[in-house]
Amino acid sequence: TYTISMASRYTLAIIKPDVLVKQPHNIGTILKRIESKYNIVQRKQLELSLSDAERFYNDHRGKFFFERLVGFMTSGPIIPLVLSEKNTEVDSIKSWREFIGPTHAENARKVQCLRGEFGTSDTWNGFHGSGSPDEAIKEISFFFPEFK
Ligand code: GDP
């Protein structure tokens, strides 16, 4: 049988400031939706400093949307989460990326996904998900250094 390596058991999700600031009334619905498919293993709420946001998105430094992105990510509180698929045969990293949907709003609206439903633009897209096992490990320890 096929088993997922430990590296793909957990992913780092973020509920971004557009959700917390503009649609706090949807947070309950969103968390229920998440919990229908994932165990929320870790959860906190915080506000990123500019230097932490720049560090988190360091790979995007120099891109045209970088300043917009870090400005957005520091514009209000965020909820980082460590998620694990309830179905242990499934890769949590890939599954969560599919669950949030495409990065760009126009594409996200074409499919059933969290970004399509709750995101508003290419920058203000509501949710983050790690892109690979290496990224997941790095991003989980960024927000939850105590989680091993
Ligand atoms: P993700 O992995 O789907 O979050 O996408 P990326 O890692 O490529 O980009 C990080 C974040 O930067 C995205 O979630 C968006 O908030 C923002 N972003 C990415 N691409 C664009 C873009 O083309 N335009 C704008 N305005 N923002 C973008």
Side-chain angles (χ1 to χ4, degrees):
T1 55
Y2 176 64
T3 52
I4 299 301
S5 74
M6 283 308 289
S8 298
R9 276 307 311 141
Y10 301 105
T11 193
L12 192 275
I14 304 176
I15 305 177
K16 295 186 178 181
D18 49 337
V19 178
L20 281 92
V21 173
K22 302 268 185 197
Q23 25 178 344
H25 54 282
N26 284 332
I27 289 168
T29 308
I30 288 167
L31 286 171
K32 268 200 206 114
R33 196 82 64 81
I34 294 173
E35 285 181 300
S36 70
K37 210 164 150 41
Y38 303 89
N39 293 316
I40 297 178
V41 180
Q42 297 282 318
R43 169 181 168 183
K44 58 174 69 160
Q45 181 167 325
L46 57 96
E47 286 192 39
L48 279 178
S49 67
L50 188 60
S51 66
D52 281 346
E54 287 174 347
R55 194 158 54 86
F56 185 77
Y57 281 116
N58 196 41
D59 290 350
H60 292 307
R61 215 178 265 275
K63 290 188 185 158
F64 73 92
F65 58 82
F66 183 71
E67 274 74 28
R68 216 181 308 170
L69 174 61
V70 296
F72 162 51
M73 289 301 287
T74 55
S75 66
I78 61 169
I79 301 180
L81 305 158
V82 175
L83 300 180
S84 186
E85 252 275 3
K86 287 189 176 171
N87 178 351
T88 54
E89 310 252 310
V90 173
D91 179 324
S92 299
I93 297 169
K94 284 190 192 150
S95 156
W96 174 248
R97 292 287 304 189
E98 242 176 72
F99 202 69
I100 62 176
T103 307
H104 296 106
E106 192 192 343
N107 299 329
R109 281 189 209 104
K110 290 181 191 152
V111 289
Q112 173 65 39
C113 65
L114 288 180
R115 281 172 166 172
E117 196 170 340
F118 300 103
T120 45
S121 72
D122 289 351
T123 305
W124 293 48
N125 60 2
F127 304 89
H128 170 81
S130 305
S132 68
D134 281 354
E135 245 178 61
I137 289 166
K138 240 170 58 186
E139 295 179 355
I140 288 170
S141 68
F142 185 96
F143 287 107
F144 303 97
E146 67 282 9
F147 181 74
K148 295 274 186 282

